[in-house]
Amino acid sequence: MRRLYMELIRMRFLTMLAYRVNYYSGIIIYAINIGAYYFLWGAIYGGQQQLGGLTVEQMTSYVAIAWMSRAFYFNNIDMEIAQDVREGKVAIEMIRPYNYLSVKTAQAFGEGIFRLLFFAGPGIFLISLIIPFHFPATGQAWGLYLLSLLFAFLINTQINLLTGLFTFFLFRNDGMMRAKRVIVDLMSGLVLPISFFPGWAQTVMGFLPFQAVNYYPSLIFTGAITSGRALELIGFQVIWMFVILVPILILWRMARNRLVVQGG
Amino acid sequence: MQNLRHIFRVFGDYLGQYFKTRLAYRADFLGDLVSNLISELINLVFIIVVFQHVPLMGEWTRDEIIFIYGFFLVPYALFSIFFGFWDFNERYIIRGEMDRILTRPLYNLAQVCLESIAPDRIFGVISGLIIMGYAAIQLKLSITWYDPFIFIVLAVSGALIYGGVYTAISAISFFSDSRTGITPMIYNIQQYGRYPVDVYNKVIRFVLTYVLPFAFVGVYPAAYFLRKEMWYGYAAMTPVMAVIFFGIGLLVWNWGVSKYRGAGS
């Protein structure tokens, strides 16, 4: 069974490698986004030294690392599930001797590793040439960041599985998946560090899982917190992972009972 | 002309069909409207949160930036009504649907546009107008009798600029083997046009003005209504850019179609 999943991860990795235009355009997309926010924040700071507890240098590093973390955790498996459901392929998937959701997760992981090695790695290197950038000083900090990034991937993938599963009940939910994408980008702290939000909004967002997707790993990377606090954040991520697992399992059970194949 | 009238008649028929299919999935239809609204509001959140910390972005105030964003939503919505073929490569090239398109009597681009038409995006126009209206009241903007007409011309021009660029980009699918193509890239670049171009550096400003002229969809035309006289020249250029870039889009598309050999099964 483990060999099957290893093989799935490898396959997706190789598939990603095969579509070269996707790869190059992916690099350019991330460069564009980081560039856009770099200039935007420059203009926002104007002459000011500090905003929301961050200097302009810290802010640009934050944006860069947040986007690079996103390269690893981002995937489109919700869209893939939706397509499988619409085309009726999911019926075949369900009778196969593996767990459909784990297969999707494994594929997403293959994609994540590809993006980590070929987008995020070279991307961070390129950015560090242009933007004054602080890497974590110790191996321990790197380890904590990578561990936290792994959980970020798992939580984001779970959120995607959840929105993907809604296709079973709504038949089409492209709109929901699109909205989910912008909500995750905003509430995970990708476009705006959480510390910028007004107090009440921070409180509300503390009860939501999205910070665990980006804000926690980015915070750990910037080295602004102690390793004790970092471990605490990773603990929160683990808790969220188990919390989100519950609705996924319930929805999956319900979905299997009321699958309607619309052609295919 | 006969041909154009034909396109409009078929357009009406597709519109009817569209609402039938959409209303078959009512939850999705409603969900789509809500999600589009959320996507639009979230960009506002960014502006509002940032301006809680600073009074100005470059030389621009919060309400001016909100006005630009509201304006941007209108041409963007018009564009997405007619050019909704986001999955062009996947649907038409990889699965070979393009072969079917080419057997249809309508002009092939018109046929592709019709099949993916999304009239419910018209709500984007409404939310854009509301956001603009709010900002205009806050800024106490003066409005003359001919402003609505200029607004329509500029908004339609903006939609055509997007349409042209997008058509040209989609036509790349006729040549390349990519799965999703570079559509997401364009989707990301358009984010630039929403903010005043003078906050970016010279290279990006040049690109957004002459290469991928998305500044003409947001900040330049909006500057006219904000009475920023230094940008009037650019605002006036908007319709010209629309003609040029939509023309380029059509040329690239037609060239791509002539190269197209069919790949699907």
Side-chain angles (χ1 to χ4, degrees):
Chain A
M1 213 53 184
R2 212 172 76 220
R3 275 199 31 215
L4 167 76
Y5 289 110
M6 287 304 288
E7 187 59 20
L8 281 167
I9 294 170
R10 202 177 71 92
M11 291 276 286
R12 178 58 70 99
F13 184 88
L14 293 176
T15 317
M16 292 291 292
L17 210 55
Y19 291 99
R20 259 166 306 164
V21 177
N22 266 5
Y23 168 51
Y24 297 128
S25 68
I27 293 176
I28 298 171
I29 287 173
Y30 279 82
I32 287 170
N33 281 316
I34 293 169
Y37 283 106
Y38 177 72
F39 291 114
L40 211 53
W41 283 113
I44 290 167
Y45 271 75
Q48 301 193 55
Q49 289 304 311
Q50 245 199 9
L51 289 179
L54 292 170
T55 64
V56 68
E57 286 84 15
Q58 284 172 328
M59 180 53 113
T60 41
S61 306
Y62 176 89
V63 170
I65 190 58
W67 276 97
M68 285 305 154
S69 303
R70 185 181 186 265
F72 177 64
Y73 70 70
F74 182 82
N75 55 60
N76 276 322
I77 53 171
D78 48 353
M79 306 264 181
E80 291 174 24
I81 295 174
Q83 200 174 7
D84 282 350
V85 173
R86 262 205 305 277
E87 293 177 358
K89 277 187 195 156
V90 76
I92 307 290
E93 293 288 336
M94 278 174 170
I95 57 172
R96 285 186 173 154
Y98 51 56
N99 182 291
Y100 177 64
L101 299 182
S102 313
V103 167
K104 283 287 160 221
T105 308
Q107 289 175 336
F109 192 60
E111 197 172 321
I113 292 177
F114 174 85
R115 290 156 175 268
L116 186 69
L117 292 180
F118 293 98
F119 288 1
I124 287 187
F125 175 72
L126 280 179
I127 293 162
S128 69
L129 298 178
I130 307 161
I131 302 177
F133 203 70
H134 301 287
F135 290 105
T138 59
Q140 188 196 20
W142 272 103
L144 286 171
Y145 167 69
L146 290 175
L147 184 64
S148 156
L149 188 61
L150 180 70
F151 283 113
F153 162 82
L154 288 171
I155 294 171
N156 186 56
T157 302
Q158 285 183 317
I159 294 172
N160 285 349
L161 287 176
L162 208 56
T163 41
L165 278 174
F166 271 105
T167 320
F168 282 92
F169 308 95
L170 302 172
F171 304 122
R172 280 184 51 172
N173 61 338
D174 299 0
M176 185 181 173
M177 291 186 283
R178 220 173 29 242
K180 180 221 68 190
R181 192 187 293 186
V182 286
I183 289 173
V184 171
D185 282 354
L186 180 79
M187 302 241 248
S188 66
L190 174 70
V191 294
L192 265 173
I194 303 293
S195 61
F196 264 70
F197 285 93
W200 62 267
Q202 290 190 33
T203 313
V204 173
M205 287 191 288
F207 291 102
L208 296 169
F210 303 112
Q211 293 189 35
V213 173
N214 200 324
Y215 190 53
Y216 293 173
S218 300
L219 215 53
I220 294 172
F221 190 91
T222 56
I225 54 172
T226 62
S227 53
R229 175 82 180 130
L231 282 172
E232 201 177 300
L233 293 180
I234 293 172
F236 284 134
Q237 289 182 309
V238 175
I239 295 171
W240 271 118
M241 206 178 69
F242 284 108
V243 171
I244 309 175
L245 203 58
V246 177
I248 291 179
L249 293 177
I250 295 173
L251 275 183
W252 178 234
R253 181 172 282 259
M254 281 163 66
R256 283 200 297 194
N257 290 335
R258 51 164 296 174
L259 170 67
V260 178
V261 173
Q262 315 161 77
Chain B
M1 248 353 358
Q2 187 69 38
N3 199 6
L4 211 60
R5 243 188 29 228
H6 185 204
I7 291 178
F8 278 117
R9 222 189 48 233
V10 180
F11 171 76
D13 294 340
Y14 265 93
L15 212 60
Q17 285 304 322
Y18 172 84
F19 281 107
K20 275 189 237 167
T21 53
R22 282 320 293 268
L23 291 174
Y25 299 104
R26 273 188 204 97
D28 176 54
F29 188 68
L30 257 175
D32 240 16
L33 293 186
V34 176
S35 348
N36 283 332
L37 201 65
I38 291 175
S39 323
E40 284 151 16
L41 288 181
I42 275 183
N43 291 304
L44 267 188
V45 171
F46 180 83
I47 298 171
I48 291 167
V49 170
V50 162
F51 275 98
Q52 282 190 331
H53 297 269
V54 289
L56 289 174
M57 181 192 288
E59 304 283 297
W60 305 72
T61 66
R62 185 187 84 155
D63 292 324
E64 284 169 345
I65 303 271
I66 291 180
F67 185 89
I68 296 172
Y69 179 60
F71 178 90
F72 156 83
L73 285 177
V74 178
Y76 184 69
L78 291 176
F79 156 77
S80 47
I81 291 173
F82 295 100
F83 294 87
F85 44 93
W86 296 101
D87 53 351
F88 176 75
N89 191 310
E90 171 84 32
R91 189 168 151 200
Y92 290 97
I93 305 296
I94 294 175
R95 297 201 204 158
E97 289 275 291
M98 196 63 207
D99 299 351
R100 179 176 58 77
I101 297 293
L102 293 175
T103 64
R104 295 293 159 99
L106 232 49
Y107 173 52
N108 44 51
L109 178 61
Q111 179 74 30
V112 171
C113 288
L114 284 178
E115 289 183 4
S116 39
I117 193 166
D120 55 315
R121 290 299 175 84
I122 196 81
F123 286 101
V125 175
I126 297 168
S127 35
L129 289 175
I130 292 173
I131 293 169
M132 268 172 71
Y134 163 82
I137 291 167
Q138 293 290 312
L139 292 164
K140 302 192 173 61
L141 290 182
S142 58
I143 298 168
T144 58
W145 64 269
Y146 50 82
D147 276 347
F149 298 100
I150 293 181
F151 175 76
I152 292 171
V153 170
L154 292 180
V156 171
S157 302
L160 284 176
I161 290 174
Y162 263 144
V165 172
Y166 190 70
T167 306
I169 297 294
S170 301
I172 291 175
S173 306
F174 291 118
F175 308 97
S176 109
D177 64 335
S178 150
R179 202 161 36 138
T180 54
I182 54 178
T183 320
M185 199 164 90
I186 297 309
Y187 180 80
N188 281 289
I189 295 173
Q190 50 111 340
Q191 316 256 12
Y192 275 97
R194 286 184 209 164
Y195 297 102
V197 279
D198 49 346
V199 309
Y200 302 120
N201 79 355
K202 285 199 182 78
V203 179
I204 296 177
R205 256 183 77 174
F206 179 83
V207 170
L208 287 173
T209 308
Y210 301 105
V211 184
L212 293 164
F214 295 150
F216 288 98
V217 187
V219 58
Y220 290 153
Y224 165 75
F225 298 102
L226 292 170
R227 311 297 180 222
K228 301 264 182 188
E229 284 178 21
M230 59 179 295
W231 302 103
Y232 275 14
Y234 286 104
M237 279 278 286
T238 309
V240 181
M241 295 303 269
V243 172
I244 295 173
F245 275 84
F246 196 67
I248 292 174
L250 287 179
L251 279 176
V252 176
W253 176 271
N254 288 335
W255 180 44
V257 169
S258 71
K259 291 274 173 200
Y260 172 72
R261 291 205 187 119
S265 47

